[in-house]
Every structure is written in structure tokens, then in C-alpha cells.
């Protein structure tokens, strides 16, 4: 690795006059399977290198019987300032039935004294001992439940893994990162002086979502419920709606409706919150008006309706991962939201049992 | 459901009096949004509004940091409709925003709140019109009587504007609302005028509602001085007279006076740069850790530094200061005129375009450590840096020729043009001999966090709306800095000089500045 780095440093210095600076922020282990996932991994790493210069190790899960193989490369790209951002990639190809050997390779390759993240590009079999062993070598595991065949079941299995594994490994889901913008806008809505004291008076929350974003809607509901200390008392499902009944800390009832939309998008479409009493009712709305515009509104009887028109471009995969890589410690807000999602999934399963 | 807007505002008094914690904000990295408000810009037809203020506000809108109903009222003498004002501001955003071209959807929403009121700063009726206009904004946009007044005018209009705001009652509002004023530098031109201005401001506005803006403090790298010093345990034990030989603070500009001859000839580098920007850097690098990172604890510590600066009495200015003017020379290969040949500069002007100072901070931490400050126009490049030069090792083990090219350890906090931090230390050159060489270990923001820093005005305007004055200068801070600078100006006047030393434009200053350090066995850093 040192020789590869030395050679590329020399080349960059000759071309630009600057020795490339090597800043180590983290090690990112990427686990990918198949050509599409590998392409996705390389694309993300290339884009991430500008933001978080680091060492990346790609573990390609190959067909059984494939020989263990590894390659090393270093990459630099010039920034506007003329300086070069560089990163190193180690690629390990291991057969799916030989994954248990991989952690012993990872440890010496990971950068010393910086956090180690593991991003699984595709679906994960959480019951597989090999996958569990591989995950246990990371400090933080990033999954993407949007790529799972059954996202809610996958989240439930992930929650179970995080709860029962015996290392200090923490986790997150890119679907959680996809609702960050919604969380920010909802939280900001309560900064308004007319909304500040309304948390205990929220009566109803409606979350509408596209079919592919069911897990996002559940996580968003889980986030509100866990942050505001709401307890789930019942859950029921119709073809287009999941209806949750909860109790706030004063034992008041709160309704959350998760409404499936027949639109063709892949995200949350809108959130409407009703709060206040008969004399001071307030309606807070965050709704997507087009692919990249959201409108945040506050409606009260006393003031004119106030709208904020905001740009909300769908974040790319590397931006989502970049955001999650900034969180080094346990994200207990995510953990508690995930626990709520698990609770809802279990309650719905019981309700629908014959 | 029948409350009026006024009743609504009154009813908020109790709600805002108690500290507010938003449980949904936990774990999120976004700043809270301020309460709905109107920003009134006096001098809205001027350059600062076009180049900095409106682009900064628009960028805040893009970053989703402006509140619902946020409004801007431009106020100036020039005859202009709100439509024309909006069109001009859109052009300005396209030209000067770091996020151009304009995003039409966001701009259209932002521009709904942009209006213009024509008025003379001395005309009481104009303020009556303004008050009525603001009342309409409260009713139609729900701005809750929250006002942020911005003085973006020549300083000679400050008194009129402030007094008229007071006469019209625009400095007060319902209990839950706030009325704040941002005052642009210069805050006076000497100690007496600064005190007079502060007296006028404080007759109308409570000091906690006064935001004296020095845009330098809004720069990300200047704020990083605080992070670097107080978030890293390894430097603090070295940050004192026992280990530091001296400190150099340089703010170099390659530009000249850029058509501001009339202003600059009455100002000079000492007033224009040292009293504010360099003094701010001095306080941040020299202050003790504040008890918490909030407005008054931070500013208390900064003021303590300024109070500990040993005054340069008038009879000592020759020993502790160097001033000079640029002569003709070259900038980026182009010939440039001498300062005295610039437009609107008096031919016999003795206004300094370069100043170097030696200051001592008489406290336990810094006793005996010189702080060298220098700033100037028409220097070879734009560069800002704070360099902490450490004392040499007490005993060198190495033979003279081995240590020949070894320099003292220097920790450099770079602010412009490349933001970063570097540390110089000695290493052995590979080979059989014990040869030593100094090398730099560098950290560059640009290659580590490829994130575009917000403009200083974005941060400062948002802070003012949020009521956080940490990055603004307090009355006593301004007056103490002026006290230091005014004594130097008095000393310069008493010398009776009719000419100043000169330096060729495009060089690092006059030979006198080099000699100033050389006689102490030191030299200016080459940036």
C-alpha cells in the first residue's frame, strides 16, 4: 500500500506541483454482490472521495468455489484549487461460502485509529452466520432497506441483529437518511412561535407515501412517535392505509395514518399535522409539489397562511452515504425509531393472524 | 378562532419567555429557524445590499434557514418601485450569489417578501411611512412585529436613522416581539466618535439588541480558531509565554483602494483594518477559554485581552509601529499608480496604506511575548494568516551544519487564500549523515471537507435573527480597541510627519517594516 501511495504521490507532484495530502477520516468497507452492485460501489466511492478522503475496501461476494483474490489501487482527482484528493481501494473477491475468512483480512487493512464503516449495497440475509460475522467486524453498518425484497421484514431483522449481536456495532439505514430532509422540515415547523407549545396537543398525523417508500413512512412515523413519547396501542391495515392509534404522555389519543399513494415516485409525498384546540387549531403541512420542490405551510386562524417554498432535490446515493458517514456514534434517534417500526410490524402481524 | 394578529402577538409573550426545547431537533444537524420577521435595510440601493446582503439572504432561503413570512423592506433615497427593487435584487443574486444562477421557484417565494420604501434618512415622515408599511407586513405576512434594522449607509447617516427609529417607536414592540439593529463598521473613527455613536445607539436600543457587524467574524476559518484552540487538548499547554516566541498576524491585500479614495484617504489601514479585523484575530488567538460558547462569556474574554494590551503611548509610536504608503509598481504584471496618484487622494496625503505594529499583552499568559500585526494594500498577494512561532529547543544536539537549514517550529492558521492549518517541524534527511530539514505538515480544508463554506454574511444575518450576538462586537470591545488605536493615531500626529516611507506596489511593505523585526532577530513570514 505504501508503495502504491508513494508512486501516485510522485505522479501528482510532477503534474501539479503539489504533494497530495492524505487525510484519513475513516475506513469504508463495501460489501457488494454481482456486477450492478460493484458498479454502484465504485461510482459512490469515486464521488465520496472528495468529501471524505479515506481508504475503501470492497468485498465482492462471488460464486461458491471462486478463489480468494485481492487488488490494490490508488486514485487521485484534481479539485478546483489544483490540489488532489486521493483515496485507496482494496478489492477482495471472496466466494460466498468463504466469507468467514474475510474479517481476518480486513483488520490489518483498515486504517488505524479511525472509525470503520460497512456499507452493504444490496439485500442481506441476517440469518446467515457468514454475513453476521462479516458485519461484526465493523463499528457501524449501513444498510439500504430500499434494496431489500421485503423492506419492513428486513428492518425488523436488522433491529434484531443490532439488539442481539455481542459487539458494540451500531447501524443505520439509507431509508433513514432519505427521510432526514423530512425530519428537518417537520422539526423546523415547530420552531414557529405559534407552534412551539403544540407537541402535547397533536391529535393527528397523516403521512402519504409512494409504494416504494413504505419503509420511509414507517421510519418517519417511528421518529415522531419515539421523539414525542407516544405509545402504540393499536395498529390496523386496509389496502391503502395503515392506521396507528397511540397515547401521548398525558394519555391523550394521537392518530397516525400512513396513506399509500398511487403516484409513481419513490418517496414520502407529504406530512400533515393537526394540533391545538378548538380555539387555537394549527395545521402544519410539508408536501412535495414536484420532484424537487416542497412547500412547508403553517395555517392558523389568527395569522395569514404562511408558506415556505423550498428546493428539495432527491439526494444521490453517495450523498446519502456521505451523510451517514458523518455520524460516528450510536444514533439512538434511529434506534428508537427502528424499535417503533418493529413494534408496528409485530402488532400488524398479530392483528392479521387468522 | 377570532384572535387578531395583535392579540396573537401579545399572547405569544408567555410562550417565548420560557426556554424552548424542540424534541424533534435531536440528532439533526440543521440550525433552528428564526421567528418570522422583517429585515429593514437602510441604504438598500447601495453596493453592500446588492453584493452581500440580498445574496446572503437568498442563500439562507436556499438552505431552508429563513422563517415563514420572512420579509425585506429596502429603504433608501432613490426613487424606485418594489417591482424594480425585486428585479434589481434578482440580477444581484445572479451576479454575486455563491449559488447562482437563481433558482426560480425559491426566488419567487423569497421575492414575495421583498418590498421597497423610498425615503430620506432625515425625513420624519418617511419613517412614518415605514412604520405603516411594516404594520401592513405584519398583517399580510405574519411577521409578528419582529424587526431587524440594518444600517448599510455611510456612517454619517447613522445618527439620523437611529433617532428617527426611536421617535417613530420602531425600536419597541409587543412583549413577545424583538427589535434589533445591525450596525456596519466603521463604528466611529476614533475613541470619542465611537463613544458618541454608542451613546446614540444605546439611547434607542438596548445593548443586547445591538449587533455591530465585523464580517471577518463570520468567516468559517476565523470561527475555527476557537474550535482549534479549545477542542484540542494538545495545544493549550504550549499556548503561552513559556513556549511561544512570538505571534505574527498578517492580513495582506493585493488590491489598492478600488475607487474608494475619498473614504480611504480619511481612514487608512490602521482604522480600516487594524481596529477591527486584526484586533478580532488578536483577541481570538490570545483569549482565555470562555466558560461557555455564548455571547457574553466569549466577548468578556475578548475584552480582557484588549484591556491587557499595553498601550502604545504617543512618544513610543516610532518604536512600536511602522506606517507606509505604496508607491507605483505592479500588480499581477500590470502597472499600478502610487497611492498619492490615485483618484480622490490628496497629493500630500499622509494616510497609511501599510501598517505594522508590535503589541504586548500584559497578562500571565502572554507577558513578554510580542504580537506583530501587519496589514497593507498592494502587497504581492491576498493572504491572511496567524502564525505562532515557538521557541527553539533549549539545547541542540546536532552539529552546526546538520541543523543549518532548521527553522523554529511554527503553527500557522491560514485563512486566505487556502484555508487550513500547518505545523513546521524538523526531520532527518534520509542518508548516512545527520542532516536536518524543516518540513510542513499541512491540513487543507479544501481537500478534507469538500464542502462550500457559507458566506460570512449568511452566518451573521442568521445569528442576528436568532438573537445570538457571539460573533458581533460589544460596545466595550469596540471602545477598548479604539482606545488602543487612537493612542497610536495621536502619536503619529505628534510626529509632525509630512511624508511617509513608501514601498513599491506588489512588494511586502517598506524596508522599515523588515528592519522593525530584524533588529529583534526576527523576520516576517513569507506568505
Amino acid at each position: 500500500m505504501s508503495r502504491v501511495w508513494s508512486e501516485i504521490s510522485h505522479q501528482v507532484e510532477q503534474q501539479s506541483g503539489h504533494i497530495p495530502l492524505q487525510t484519513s477520516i475513516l475506513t469504508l468497507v463495501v460489501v457488494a454482490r454481482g456486477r450492478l452492485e460493484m458498479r454502484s460501489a465504485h461510482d459512490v466511492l469515486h464521488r465520496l472521495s472528495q468529501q471524505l478522503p479515506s481508504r475503501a475496501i470492497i468485498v465482492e461476494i462471488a460464486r461458491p468455489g471462486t478463489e480468494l483474490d485481492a487488488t490494490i489501487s490508488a486514485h487521485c482527482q484534481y479539485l478546483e484549487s489544483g490540489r488532489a484528493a486521493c483515496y485507496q481501494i482494496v478489492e477482495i473477491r471472496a466466494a460466498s461460502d468463504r466469507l468467514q475468512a474475510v474479517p481476518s483480512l480486513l483488520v490489518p487493512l483498515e486504517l488505524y485509529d479511525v472509525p470503520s464503516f460497512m456499507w452493504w449495497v444490496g439485500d442481506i440475509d441476517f440469518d446467515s452466520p457468514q454475513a453476521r460475522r462479516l458485519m461484526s467486524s465493523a463499528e457501524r453498518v449501513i444498510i439500504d432497506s430500499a434494496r431489500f425484497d421485503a423492506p419492513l421484514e428486513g428492518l425488523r431483522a436488522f433491529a434484531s441483529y443490532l439488539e442481539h449481536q455481542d459487539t458494540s456495532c451500531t447501524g443505520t439505514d439509507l431509508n433513514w437518511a432519505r427521510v432526514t430532509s423530512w425530519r428537518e422540515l417537520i422539526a423546523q415547523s415547530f420552531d414557529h412561535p405559534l407552534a412551539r407549545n403544540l407537541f402535547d396537543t397533536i391529535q393527528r398525523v397523516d403521512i402519504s407515501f409512494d409504494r416504494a417508500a413504505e419503509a420511509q413512512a414507517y421510519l418517519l412515523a417511528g421518529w415522531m412517535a419515539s421523539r414525542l413519547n407516544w405509545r402504540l396501542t393499536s395498529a390496523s391495515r386496509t389496502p391503502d392505509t395503515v392506521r396507528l392509534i397511540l397515547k401521548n404522555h398525558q394519555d391523550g389519543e394521537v392518530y397516525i395514518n400512513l396513506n399509500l399513494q398511487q403516484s409513481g415516485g419513490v418517496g414520502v409525498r407529504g406530512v400533515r399535522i393537526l394540533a391545538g384546540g378548538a380555539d387555537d387549531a394549527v395545521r402544519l403541512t410539508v408536501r412535495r409539489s414536484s420532484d424537487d420542490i416542497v412547500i412547508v405551510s403553517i395555517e392558523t386562524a389568527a395569522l395569514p397562511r404562511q408558506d415556505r417554498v423550498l428546493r428539495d432535490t432527491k439526494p444521490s446515493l453517495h450523498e446519502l452515504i456521505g451523510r451517514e458517514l458523518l455520524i460516528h456514534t450510536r444514533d439512538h434517534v434511529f434506534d428508537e425509531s427502528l424499535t417503533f417500526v418493529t413494534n408496528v410490524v409485530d402488532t400488524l402481524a398479530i392483528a392479521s393472524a387468522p | 378562532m377570532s384572535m387578531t394578529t395583535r392579540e396573537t402577538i401579545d399572547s405569544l409573550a408567555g410562550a417565548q419567555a420560557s426556554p424552548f426545547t424542540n424534541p424533534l431537533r435531536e440528532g439533526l444537524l440543521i440550525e433552528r429557524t428564526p421567528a418570522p420577521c422583517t429585515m429593514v435595510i437602510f441604504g438598500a440601493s447601495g453596493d453592500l445590499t446588492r453584493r452581500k446582503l440580498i445574496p446572503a439572504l437568498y442563500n439562507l432561503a436556499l438552505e431552508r434557514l429563513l422563517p415563514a413570512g420572512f420579509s425585506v423592506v429596502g429603504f433608501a433615497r432613490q426613487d424606485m418601485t418594489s417591482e424594480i427593487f425585486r428585479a434589481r435584487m434578482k440580477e444581484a443574486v445572479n451576479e454575486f450569489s455563491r449559488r447562482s444562477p437563481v433558482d426560480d421557484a425559491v426566488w419567487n417565494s423569497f421575492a414575495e417578501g421583498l418590498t421597497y420604501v423610498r425615503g430620506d434618512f432625515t425625513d420624519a415622515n418617511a419613517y412614518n411611512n415605514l412604520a405603516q408599511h411594516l404594520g401592513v407586513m405584519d398583517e399580510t405576512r405574519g411577521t409578528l412585529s419582529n424587526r431587524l434594522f440594518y444600517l448599510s449607509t455611510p456612517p454619517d447617516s447613522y445618527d439620523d436613522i437611529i433617532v428617527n427609529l426611536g421617535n417613530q417607536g420602531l425600536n419597541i414592540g409587543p412583549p413577545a416581539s424583538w427589535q434589533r439593529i445591525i450596525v456596519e463598521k466603521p463604528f466611529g473613527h476614533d475613541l470619542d466618535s465611537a463613544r458618541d455613536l454608542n451613546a446614540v445607539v444605546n439611547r434607542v436600543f438596548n445593548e443586547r439588541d445591538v449587533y455591530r457587524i465585523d464580517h471577518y467574524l463570520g468567516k468559517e476559518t476565523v470561527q475555527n480558531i476557537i474550535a482549534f484552540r479549545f477542542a484540542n487538548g494538545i495545544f493549550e499547554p504550549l499556548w503561552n509565554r513559556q513556549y511561544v516566541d512570538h505571534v505574527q498576524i498578517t492580513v495582506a491585500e493585493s488590491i489598492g483602494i478600488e475607487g474608494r479614495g475619498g473614504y480611504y484617504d480619511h481612514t487608512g489601514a490602521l482604522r480600516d483594518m487594524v481596529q477591527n479585523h486584526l484586533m478580532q484575530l488578536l483577541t481570538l488567538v490570545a483569549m482565555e477559554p470562555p466558560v461557555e460558547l455564548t455571547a457574553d462569556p466569549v466577548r468578556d474574554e475578548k475584552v480582557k485581552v484588549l484591556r491587557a494590551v499595553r498601550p502604545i503611548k504617543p512618544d513610543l509610536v516610532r518604536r512600536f509601529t511602522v506606517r507606509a504608503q505604496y508607491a507605483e509598481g505592479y500588480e499581477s504584471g500590470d502597472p499600478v499608480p502610487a497611492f498619492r496618484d490615485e483618484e480622490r487622494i490628496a497629493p500630500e496625503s499622509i494616510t497609511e496604506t501599510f501598517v505594522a505594529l508590535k503589541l504586548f499583552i500584559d497578562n500571565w499568559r502572554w507577558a513578554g511575548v510580542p504580537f506583530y500585526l501587519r496589514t497593507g494594500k498592494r502587497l504581492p498577494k491576498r493572504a491572511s494568516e496567524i502564525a505562532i512561532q515557538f521557541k527553539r529547543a533549549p539545547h541542540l544536539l546536532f552539529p552546526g551544519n546538520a541543523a543549518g537549514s532548521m527553522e523554529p517550529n511554527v503553527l500557522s492558521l491560514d485563512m486566505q487564500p487556502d484555508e487550513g492549518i500547518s505545523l513546521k517541524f524538523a526531520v532527518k534527511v534520509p542518508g548516512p549523515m545527520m542532516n536536518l530539514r524543516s518540513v510542513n505538515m499541512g491540513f487543507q480544508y479544501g481537500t478534507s471537507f469538500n464542502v462550500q463554506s457559507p458566506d460570512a454574511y449568511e452566518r451573521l444575518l442568521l445569528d442576528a435573527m436568532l438573537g445570538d450576538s457571539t460573533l458581533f462586537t460589544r460596545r466595550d470591545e469596540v471602545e477598548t480597541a479604539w482606545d488602543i488605536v487612537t493612542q497610536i493615531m495621536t502619536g503619529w500626529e505628534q510626529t509632525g510627519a509630512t511624508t511617509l516611507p513608501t514601498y513599491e506596489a506588489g512588494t511586502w511593505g517598506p524596508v522599515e517594516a523588515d528592519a522593525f523585526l530584524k533588529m529583534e532577530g526576527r523576520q516576517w513570514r513569507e506568505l
Side-chain angles (χ1 to χ4, degrees):
Chain A
M1 300 267 334
S2 297
R3 191 168 53 79
V4 171
W5 180 254
S6 172
E7 282 173 10
I8 201 161
S9 292
H10 184 64
Q11 282 178 31
V12 169
E13 189 183 8
Q14 283 194 326
Q15 286 173 21
S16 68
H18 296 293
I19 297 172
L21 296 171
Q22 187 180 14
T23 308
S24 301
I25 294 177
L26 52 90
T27 303
L28 176 60
V29 178
V30 185
V31 184
R33 188 194 305 259
R35 203 153 45 98
L36 283 178
E37 287 187 14
M38 284 298 286
R39 190 186 301 164
S40 185
H42 277 284
D43 182 53
V44 165
L45 290 177
H46 180 69
R47 291 163 191 271
L48 266 182
S49 67
Q50 291 190 18
Q51 188 184 347
L52 295 161
S54 302
R55 178 176 294 172
I57 303 168
I58 302 177
V59 178
E60 181 185 356
I61 303 176
R63 283 177 303 187
T66 307
E67 285 294 308
L68 199 64
D69 187 22
T71 57
I72 296 169
S73 58
H75 307 254
C76 292
Q77 49 188 315
Y78 292 106
L79 306 175
E80 280 178 29
S81 64
R83 289 198 169 269
C86 300
Y87 60 102
Q88 304 153 331
I89 292 184
V90 180
E91 290 187 54
I92 299 171
R93 183 180 298 133
S96 55
D97 56 350
R98 297 282 306 279
L99 281 183
Q100 73 272 23
V102 173
S104 67
L105 295 171
L106 292 180
V107 173
L109 287 170
E110 288 173 354
L111 291 167
Y112 175 70
D113 213 19
V114 291
S116 165
F117 292 75
M118 181 176 285
W119 166 40
W120 283 74
V121 181
D123 208 343
I124 307 170
D125 176 5
F126 287 99
D127 291 330
S128 152
Q130 306 216 358
R132 294 170 80 92
R133 182 167 157 74
L134 195 52
M135 276 190 283
S136 67
S137 66
E139 289 168 55
R140 188 162 172 77
V141 173
I142 301 171
I143 64 164
D144 187 359
S145 61
R147 295 192 180 223
F148 290 4
D149 293 336
L152 290 174
E153 283 307 314
L155 278 176
R156 193 178 177 288
F158 187 44
S160 172
Y161 166 77
L162 291 174
E163 190 181 348
H164 296 111
Q165 50 92 24
D166 48 10
T167 67
S168 56
C169 173
T170 65
T172 189
D173 176 17
L174 293 184
N175 263 335
W176 174 246
R178 291 183 182 99
V179 294
T180 298
S181 175
W182 289 89
R183 293 194 291 133
E184 288 175 348
L185 295 173
I186 293 168
Q188 280 187 335
S189 295
F190 285 93
D191 286 341
H192 195 290
L194 291 179
R196 287 183 182 184
N197 293 326
L198 294 180
F199 294 115
D200 292 340
T201 69
I202 295 174
Q203 301 143 21
R204 180 173 157 170
V205 179
D206 290 289
I207 300 173
S208 50
F209 61 95
D210 297 317
R211 184 170 297 280
E214 189 179 26
Q216 293 178 42
Y218 273 66
L219 284 167
L220 201 54
W223 167 68
M224 280 201 77
S226 57
R227 288 303 89 213
L228 299 175
N229 288 318
W230 296 342
R231 286 173 286 113
L232 182 70
T233 58
S234 73
S236 58
R237 180 196 284 278
T238 64
D240 290 340
T241 301
V242 171
R243 184 176 170 82
L244 310 178
I245 303 176
L246 308 98
K247 294 269 190 190
N248 68 20
H249 74 100
Q250 294 171 330
D251 258 2
E253 272 193 346
V254 182
Y255 298 92
I256 299 182
N257 295 316
L258 307 178
N259 303 311
L260 173 65
Q261 304 290 294
Q262 297 305 331
S263 44
V266 288
V268 174
R269 306 300 304 178
V271 177
R272 188 174 59 180
I273 300 167
L274 287 178
D279 291 337
D280 57 353
V282 174
R283 179 156 52 194
L284 303 168
T285 313
V286 183
R287 66 186 169 87
R288 183 170 292 288
S289 71
S290 69
D291 277 354
D292 54 1
I293 293 288
V294 291
I295 299 176
V296 181
S297 310
I298 177 166
E299 294 172 83
T300 68
L303 287 179
R305 172 188 164 128
Q306 292 179 317
D307 289 337
R308 298 164 68 208
V309 178
L310 305 167
R311 179 69 61 193
D312 187 61
T313 310
K314 183 184 161 198
S316 61
L317 191 56
H318 86 274
E319 287 170 331
L320 290 170
I321 292 169
R323 283 180 204 165
E324 289 305 313
L325 293 180
L326 292 175
I327 302 170
H328 291 187
T329 53
R330 178 178 294 279
D331 180 357
H332 73 93
V333 178
F334 169 72
D335 289 351
E336 289 165 19
S337 305
L338 186 61
T339 301
F340 182 88
V341 171
T342 303
N343 198 1
V344 171
V345 172
D346 288 346
T347 307
L348 284 172
I350 293 167
S352 63
Chain B
M1 303 292 274
S2 59
M3 276 199 293
T4 64
T5 302
R6 178 58 55 195
E7 287 167 340
T8 305
I9 294 167
D10 291 343
S11 73
L12 289 171
Q16 294 202 357
S18 55
F20 167 63
T21 306
N22 184 341
L24 297 179
R25 195 167 275 293
E26 191 174 352
L28 293 173
L29 299 174
I30 192 168
E31 180 62 273
R32 65 197 160 101
T33 44
C37 60
T38 302
M39 179 169 160
V40 181
I41 304 175
F42 292 97
S45 57
D47 226 26
L48 184 69
T49 305
R50 218 166 58 84
R51 284 174 176 269
K52 292 291 182 187
L53 302 183
I54 297 293
L57 291 170
Y58 165 76
N59 290 343
L60 288 174
L62 270 181
E63 300 285 342
R64 308 159 164 203
L65 293 170
L66 288 184
F70 177 75
S71 306
V72 175
V73 178
F75 185 102
R77 295 187 190 97
Q78 196 176 332
D79 202 5
M80 184 166 31
T81 63
S82 292
E83 287 70 32
I84 293 174
F85 181 60
R86 281 193 280 270
R88 287 188 185 172
M89 292 306 108
K90 188 174 183 183
E91 280 173 25
V93 169
N94 259 323
E95 191 174 353
F96 297 111
S97 167
R98 67 185 170 89
R99 305 278 299 272
S100 60
V102 164
D103 180 321
D104 279 331
V106 175
W107 171 261
N108 291 340
S109 171
F110 173 73
E112 281 175 15
L114 278 184
T115 54
Y116 183 81
V117 172
R118 183 190 169 279
D120 192 289
F121 301 138
T122 59
D123 177 9
N125 286 330
Y127 293 86
N128 188 28
N129 292 341
L130 176 64
Q132 289 182 23
H133 187 83
L134 290 174
V136 171
M137 302 301 272
D138 284 341
E139 291 294 333
T140 58
R141 296 187 57 78
T143 44
L144 304 173
S145 291
N146 295 321
R147 324 256 192 252
L148 181 62
F149 300 105
Y150 197 113
L151 303 189
S152 174
T153 66
D156 54 11
S157 298
Y158 288 178
D159 286 10
D160 286 327
I161 296 169
I162 293 164
V163 169
N164 275 301
L165 287 174
N167 289 344
Q168 199 55 241
L170 287 169
N171 57 328
I172 51 175
S177 66
W178 47 261
Q179 293 74 37
R180 300 177 186 136
I181 188 165
I182 299 180
V183 185
E184 262 288 343
K185 81 173 183 88
F187 321 116
H189 56 270
D190 57 18
L191 178 58
D192 288 342
S193 59
R195 282 178 173 155
D196 290 346
L197 174 60
N198 283 334
V200 171
V201 174
N202 287 148
R203 268 200 293 276
V204 177
F205 289 91
N206 192 307
E207 178 62 22
R208 70 162 185 270
D209 295 320
V210 181
Y211 292 71
R212 296 175 191 82
I213 194 167
D214 179 344
H215 73 273
Y216 236 67
L217 284 177
K219 288 178 182 287
E220 199 79 11
T221 41
V222 173
Q223 294 164 48
N224 193 44
I225 297 170
I226 295 178
F228 181 78
R229 284 195 58 196
F230 302 127
N232 295 294
I234 59 170
F235 300 108
E236 179 57 21
L238 308 177
W239 213 264
N240 57 50
R241 63 188 302 272
Q242 196 170 352
Y243 297 101
V244 175
D245 178 75
H246 72 276
V247 177
Q248 291 187 23
I249 301 177
T250 301
V251 177
E253 296 179 286
S254 59
I255 57 170
I257 53 175
E258 304 294 296
R260 296 191 307 149
Y263 163 77
Y264 199 85
D265 204 15
H266 293 99
T267 307
L270 188 67
R271 286 185 173 108
D272 193 40
M273 299 294 285
V274 176
Q275 187 274 336
N276 36 69
H277 302 332
L278 276 87
M279 285 296 176
Q280 289 298 328
L281 297 181
L282 174 76
T283 56
L284 290 171
V285 79
M287 73 182 192
E288 297 297 322
V291 290
E292 60 180 17
L293 212 56
T294 53
D296 276 332
V298 171
R299 298 190 297 184
D300 286 346
E301 296 305 331
K302 288 166 68 186
V303 170
K304 281 186 207 166
V305 172
L306 293 171
R307 288 196 178 133
V309 170
R310 187 188 303 166
I312 300 179
K313 298 290 184 194
D315 57 322
L316 293 174
V317 291
R318 288 181 199 277
R319 275 182 55 199
F320 288 89
T321 75
V322 170
R323 56 178 168 155
Q325 284 176 342
Y326 60 81
E328 63 182 4
Y330 292 87
E331 191 219 334
S332 305
D334 296 324
V336 292
F339 176 66
R340 285 183 167 189
D341 296 332
E342 297 268 20
E343 276 183 33
R344 298 168 70 193
I345 297 295
E348 70 286 0
S349 170
I350 55 161
T351 301
E352 77 287 353
T353 62
F354 175 96
V355 60
L357 304 177
K358 179 167 76 169
L359 298 176
F360 285 101
I361 298 171
D362 289 335
N363 62 19
W364 275 49
R365 185 187 285 264
W366 295 116
V369 177
F371 284 72
Y372 299 103
L373 280 56
R374 70 173 160 167
T375 181
K377 289 196 174 292
R378 289 271 186 248
L379 300 184
K381 64 192 247 193
R382 185 174 72 106
S384 300
E385 180 204 74
I386 298 172
I388 319 290
Q389 183 162 321
F390 293 92
K391 292 180 176 173
R392 289 180 184 272
H395 172 65
L396 273 184
L397 295 171
F398 312 99
N401 57 347
S405 57
M406 211 177 79
E407 298 166 41
N409 299 122
V410 177
L411 178 68
S412 163
L413 309 175
D414 307 324
M415 282 158 282
Q416 290 181 143
D418 293 321
E419 304 171 348
I421 296 166
S422 65
L423 179 66
K424 184 183 284 186
F425 55 86
V427 295
K428 178 182 175 298
V429 178
M433 303 287 289
M434 178 56 83
N435 280 328
L436 301 179
R437 194 179 140 187
S438 289
V439 294
N440 255 338
M441 182 168 68
F443 158 78
Q444 298 279 331
Y445 274 92
T447 55
S448 299
F449 304 102
N450 192 32
V451 178
Q452 203 178 13
S453 295
D455 183 82
Y457 278 94
E458 292 171 36
R459 171 69 196 259
L460 295 171
L461 291 175
L462 182 65
D463 279 1
M465 286 183 238
L466 289 168
D468 182 352
S469 53
T470 308
L471 298 176
F472 294 83
T473 39
R474 205 169 57 187
R475 175 181 182 151
D476 51 353
E477 202 176 342
V478 168
E479 292 181 5
T480 312
W482 269 122
D483 190 20
I484 296 164
V485 163
T486 302
Q487 295 195 53
I488 297 171
M489 293 190 302
T490 305
W492 284 352
E493 276 171 30
Q494 289 177 4
T495 63
T498 55
T499 59
L500 296 185
T502 58
Y503 58 99
E504 186 183 327
T507 66
W508 279 109
V511 290
E512 288 81 354
D514 294 334
F516 185 58
L517 259 69
K518 202 171 181 182
M519 65 187 181
E520 298 181 0
R522 300 183 174 109
Q523 61 182 24
W524 292 108
R525 281 170 55 77
E526 288 181 17
L527 304 181

